[in-house]
Amino acid sequence: MPRSWIAVASANHVRIGREAGFMQVCHGKAAPLKRSAPGDRVIYYSPTETFGGKDRLQAFTAIGVVKETEAYQVEAHPGFRPWRRDLAWSQALETPIRPLLGRLSFTSNRAGWGYQLRFGLFEIGNDDAEIIAEAMRGEPLMEVAQTCAAVRVQYSLAF
């Protein structure tokens, strides 16, 4: 069964990854990416518009499914070699988190709802992923993940 994840990054960094077809978390660390698997769902949350900025956004900004490729390292600029993972991004509207706070189990502690977001990547329940996906796209994300899982099974049976 595919798992669901919340990844955290500024909106401008999420847009770069979305345009190029990859995800990157925790300032390019490999370990968090290696916890995800092909077919897993990833939903990006952006606390700000720009990295290190004070321009609060507090919105879900992208949604996708992890592709079959493993995590890989790139040279983004001299001296910075972040790890990335390829994603199949879906069409999605940037969606504020506040209207969803009372419906998501990982935000049930309203006073400290943002605590988990400090981890950069954390697993959420599929029910929460469905709520967010419906808010962002108007359709359940589970259908995308099940299609990817079916393709993965067909691929493994062929070899």
Side-chain angles (χ1 to χ4, degrees):
M1 179 69 151
R3 295 160 46 189
S4 298
W5 303 89
I6 295 289
V8 181
S10 64
N12 67 325
H13 282 180
V14 173
R15 290 181 195 115
I16 291 167
R18 194 174 56 213
E19 287 174 21
F22 68 84
M23 70 177 286
Q24 180 178 308
V25 295
C26 304
H27 305 289
K29 292 181 182 162
L33 290 179
K34 291 180 179 182
R35 293 193 328 244
S36 64
D40 282 0
R41 297 155 295 230
V42 177
I43 300 168
Y44 262 95
Y45 171 80
S46 298
T48 60
E49 181 65 38
T50 56
F51 176 69
K54 303 253 185 239
D55 48 356
R56 262 167 90 167
L57 183 61
Q58 295 184 322
F60 296 108
T61 49
I63 191 168
V65 175
V66 177
K67 289 185 176 182
E68 292 291 327
T69 57
E70 297 293 325
Y72 57 91
Q73 199 169 21
V74 299
E75 181 150 1
H77 19 144
F80 181 53
R81 294 183 39 83
W83 287 82
R84 296 178 175 168
R85 188 120 201 212
D86 290 338
L87 260 70
W89 294 108
S90 300
Q91 291 292 333
L93 300 172
E94 293 186 3
T95 304
I97 192 172
R98 290 216 177 263
L100 301 176
L101 289 179
R103 298 176 56 201
L104 302 171
S105 63
F106 73 91
T107 63
S108 60
N109 176 5
R110 271 180 95 36
W113 67 264
Y115 178 76
Q116 286 188 16
L117 299 170
R118 295 176 185 209
F119 297 115
L121 181 73
F122 63 94
E123 189 172 359
I124 62 169
N126 289 327
D127 290 342
D128 282 350
E130 291 299 318
I131 291 168
I132 298 166
E134 288 173 14
M136 293 181 77
R137 299 187 324 179
E139 63 185 76
L141 181 58
M142 186 64 78
E143 294 170 14
V144 174
Q146 287 172 341
T147 300
C148 286
V151 168
R152 186 171 63 246
V153 167
Q154 289 173 352
Y155 178 80
S156 65
L157 292 176
F159 293 96

